[in-house]
Amino acid sequence: CISPGGVFNNQGEEFVKNYSNKVPMKRMAEEHEISGGVVFLADSSMSSYINGQNIAIDGGWVAW
């Protein structure tokens, strides 16, 4: 499965600043950064032996 972090979607400036301060990459994700992981799992022979995993696409949120 994919566990996305915060995705920027015109949230308020203060929200984005507070969220970004809690993420090692210091920013929110863009939609294409999440969809890339979904495409990799759903439509790629490179993921054919992956199962039972949780892929965090969160800018490092779970690393802290």
Side-chain angles (χ1 to χ4, degrees):
C1 73
I2 299 288
S3 292
V7 179
F8 181 73
N9 189 17
N10 299 312
Q11 292 94 337
E13 185 178 331
E14 186 174 348
F15 177 87
V16 172
K17 179 183 171 188
N18 289 336
Y19 182 89
S20 297
N21 285 334
K22 297 177 181 180
V23 179
M25 290 186 73
K26 299 295 183 195
R27 65 178 180 84
M28 297 184 80
E30 297 178 25
E31 290 180 12
H32 71 89
E33 293 174 305
I34 306 300
S35 61
V38 174
V39 170
F40 168 70
L41 288 175
D43 193 31
S44 172
S45 63
M46 295 176 71
S47 68
S48 63
Y49 207 63
I50 296 173
N51 62 70
Q53 298 300 310
N54 177 31
I55 299 176
I57 303 176
D58 64 1
W61 180 279
V62 297
W64 277 1

